[in-house]
């Protein structure tokens, strides 16, 4: 057992950290407040190979795994630039296509995902069903040599920036008559697909949308995989990378907040000429938050290592735990940073209150803390399913 990164992973961490700090949180905030996207950062990260670290080299990627992509997510967030589309496009879409797509789909999409010239977002959540794929209302039915998709999706990130959306729908198995999930690569400019932006109380350069699919026709090769049998394993293939990279982004955000707060409390002097950080009422909450973030990072490392080793069931448990731990730790770290900075903590200048909405959302999405506790109770503790 080792907790050390390889030399290549260390170099990746240092390089991504340098890139993130060159842009920094003020850049991130300015883009979000002006309704723009972090286009320059994304493009440079793609050119440097950071967006494709988990994509095989034969498709233009770095040949690494989710461990490497988690490093990219964490270090950009630790520099004050948490990019949600890293989770959606390289982690979910690229993994699904690489592991379960056809060779033609891999050749068509993976090189663009690797260099950042293409973005594919993910659409599973629905207004009524949430992310419960057993209850999805979006249906796909055969239409000649293609498919017709109809339904609604909500909280779909970054559709306005993407070329394609990976839509999870239900299809009917002609052999059994049972409904089963299937994934489709749908161009965002296809006829019948419309969107409506959601107003969110989260400061982010990435927007959230409602999607409406009104008999959207796609060709046969839009179906991910060689047959409908690929649907369920393809869906699950994207969920563990999603949880691990969301957790990494949360851990990085927690590190950023603690670093900002620690710099302030170590130099701010009010009572008797001593730094406010010398008082345990200030330093202990920060230390406690730092411990929680570090514990989350350890679970993220475990989950990513298991996933890259092909131990999917164990990675599912560890990935859920990592997401839970990082979501709680990030929220604690940002809230603590705001508190110890006092009034300064609520200003844009000091750059911590700007993350309050995002870290609070991290306890809800992409899976709520309560559903993770249900998962752990059932699959780790052997308790009866409660829902």
């Amino acid at each position: 057992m080792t907790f050390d990164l390889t030399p290549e992973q260390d170099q990746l961490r240092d390089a991504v950290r340098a890139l993130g700090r060159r842009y920094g949180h003020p850049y991130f905030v300015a883009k979000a407040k002006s309704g723009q996207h972090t286009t320059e950062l994304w493009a440079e990260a793609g050119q440097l190979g950071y967006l494709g670290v988990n994509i095989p080299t034969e498709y233009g990627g770095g040949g690494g795994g989710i461990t490497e992509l988690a490093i990219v997510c964490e270090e950009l967030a630790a520099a004050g630039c948490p990019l949600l589309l890293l989770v959606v496009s390289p982690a979910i879409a690229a993994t699904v296509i690489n592991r379960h797509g056809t060779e033609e789909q891999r050749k068509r999409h993976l090189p663009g995902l690797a260099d950042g010239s293409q973005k594919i977002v993910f659409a599973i959540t629905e207004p009524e069903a949430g992310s419960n794929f057993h209850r999805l209302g979006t249906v796909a039915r055969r239409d000649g040599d293609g498919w017709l998709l109809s339904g609604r999706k909500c909280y779909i990130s970054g559709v306005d920036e993407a070329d394609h959306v990976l839509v999870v729908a239900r299809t009917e198995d002609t052999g059994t008559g049972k409904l089963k999930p299937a994934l489709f690569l749908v161009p965002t400019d296809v006829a019948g697909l419309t969107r409506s932006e959601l107003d969110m109380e989260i400061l982010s350069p990435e927007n959230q949308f409602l999607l409406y699919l009104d008999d959207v026709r796609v060709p046969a090769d839009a179906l991910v995989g060689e047959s409908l049998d690929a649907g369920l394993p393809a869906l699950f293939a994207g969920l563990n990378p999603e949880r691990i990279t969301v957790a990494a982004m949360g851990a990085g955000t927690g590190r950023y907040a603690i670093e900002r707060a620690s710099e302030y409390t170590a130099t701010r002097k009010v009572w008797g000429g001593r730094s406010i950080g010398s008082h345990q009422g200030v330093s202990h909450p920060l230390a406690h938050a730092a411990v929680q973030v570090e514990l989350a990072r350890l679970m993220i490392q475990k989950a990513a290592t298991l996933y890259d080793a092909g131990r999917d069931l164990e990675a599912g448990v560890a990935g859920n735990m990592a997401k839970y731990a990082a979501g709680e730790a990030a929220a604690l770290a940002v809230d603590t940073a705001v508190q110890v900075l006092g009034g300064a903590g609520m200003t844009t200048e000091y750059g911590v209150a700007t993350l309050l909405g995002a870290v609070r959302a991290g306890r809800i999405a992409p899976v709520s803390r309560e559903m993770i506790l249900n998962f752990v109770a059932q699959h780790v503790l052997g308790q009866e399913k409660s829902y």
Side-chain angles (χ1 to χ4, degrees):
M1 179 181 293
T2 177
F3 296 99
D4 294 326
L5 298 177
T6 66
E8 293 78 14
Q9 290 168 342
D10 265 328
Q11 292 170 9
L12 176 65
R13 186 179 292 281
D14 291 342
V16 176
R17 180 187 300 121
L19 173 66
R21 288 184 173 176
R22 189 147 47 79
Y23 283 87
H25 194 57
Y27 164 84
F28 179 89
V29 172
K31 289 291 184 179
K33 288 193 171 184
S34 63
Q36 300 181 67
H37 304 305
T38 52
T39 306
E40 302 86 357
L41 174 54
W42 185 272
E44 188 167 355
Q47 291 165 6
L48 294 171
Y50 304 150
L51 303 181
V53 289
N54 62 313
I55 293 174
T57 55
E58 58 263 40
Y59 304 108
I66 293 303
T67 297
E68 285 73 21
L69 187 58
I71 289 172
V72 174
C73 290
E74 181 181 344
E75 290 306 320
L76 286 179
C81 297
L83 300 186
L84 180 57
L85 286 190
L86 278 171
V87 173
V88 179
S89 197
I92 300 176
T95 300
V96 167
I97 294 169
N98 182 48
R99 290 186 63 170
H100 295 282
T102 64
E103 179 59 20
E104 175 57 32
Q105 288 167 345
R106 288 191 284 270
K107 289 179 178 177
R108 189 188 318 158
H109 297 290
L110 291 181
L113 292 174
D115 66 19
S117 61
Q118 183 178 168
K119 295 176 185 175
I120 299 178
V121 296
F122 185 58
I124 182 172
T125 308
E126 295 185 356
E128 286 78 28
S131 57
N132 180 2
F133 70 86
H134 297 290
R135 303 290 183 186
L136 293 181
T138 300
V139 296
R141 61 187 189 276
R142 292 190 184 274
D143 179 54
D145 60 351
W147 295 88
L148 286 177
L149 278 63
S150 297
R152 291 190 300 160
K153 299 291 183 179
C154 61
Y155 305 118
I156 309 307
S157 307
V159 179
D160 56 332
E161 302 179 61
D163 311 279
H164 288 76
V165 54
L166 189 59
V167 174
V168 184
R170 297 189 304 160
T171 63
E172 184 176 339
D173 188 319
T174 54
T176 66
K178 293 182 178 179
L179 293 175
K180 58 196 302 183
L183 279 68
F184 295 87
L185 285 159
V186 180
T188 51
D189 61 355
V190 69
L193 178 66
T194 56
R195 66 181 187 239
S196 174
E197 186 174 345
L198 290 163
D199 276 336
M200 305 293 292
E201 295 299 323
I202 300 173
L203 187 63
S204 171
E206 293 139 333
N207 300 318
Q208 302 290 317
F209 292 89
L210 285 166
L211 289 188
Y212 306 92
L213 297 99
D214 183 14
D215 281 344
V216 171
R217 193 178 196 283
V218 293
D221 62 4
L223 175 69
V224 173
E226 300 288 352
S227 71
L228 289 176
D229 291 335
L232 191 59
L235 175 58
F236 280 111
L239 296 184
N240 285 340
E242 174 191 53
R243 282 150 174 69
I244 294 167
T245 50
V246 163
M249 190 169 65
T253 301
R255 284 173 50 203
Y256 167 82
I258 292 168
E259 180 180 349
R260 294 288 293 164
S262 297
E263 290 172 353
Y264 180 85
T265 56
T267 56
R268 172 71 166 162
K269 296 180 179 180
V270 179
W271 307 108
R274 299 175 63 186
S275 69
I276 61 173
S278 67
H279 299 285
Q280 292 177 353
V282 172
S283 63
H284 281 191
L286 275 177
H288 174 63
V291 169
Q292 301 309 306
V293 169
E294 189 61 23
L295 290 173
R297 294 181 74 207
L298 290 172
M299 185 53 77
I300 294 163
Q301 186 177 0
K302 177 180 180 179
T305 300
L306 289 170
Y307 184 84
D308 290 337
R311 296 160 65 178
D312 287 354
L313 291 177
E314 295 166 277
V317 173
N320 274 290
M321 289 183 172
K323 192 274 170 186
Y324 181 98
E328 299 298 300
L332 175 67
V334 172
D335 185 69
T336 301
V338 170
Q339 188 67 27
V340 299
L341 264 69
M346 294 305 297
T347 66
T348 302
E349 176 186 357
Y350 283 87
V352 286
T354 44
L355 295 165
L356 281 169
V359 294
R360 187 61 186 83
R363 299 176 74 204
I364 300 169
V367 58
S368 72
R369 60 195 299 276
E370 290 76 19
M371 286 305 295
I372 292 177
L373 293 176
N374 281 334
F375 177 91
V376 172
Q378 181 183 347
H379 295 283
V380 179
L381 304 181
Q383 302 303 301
E384 184 180 356
K385 191 174 181 178
S386 63
Y387 56 95

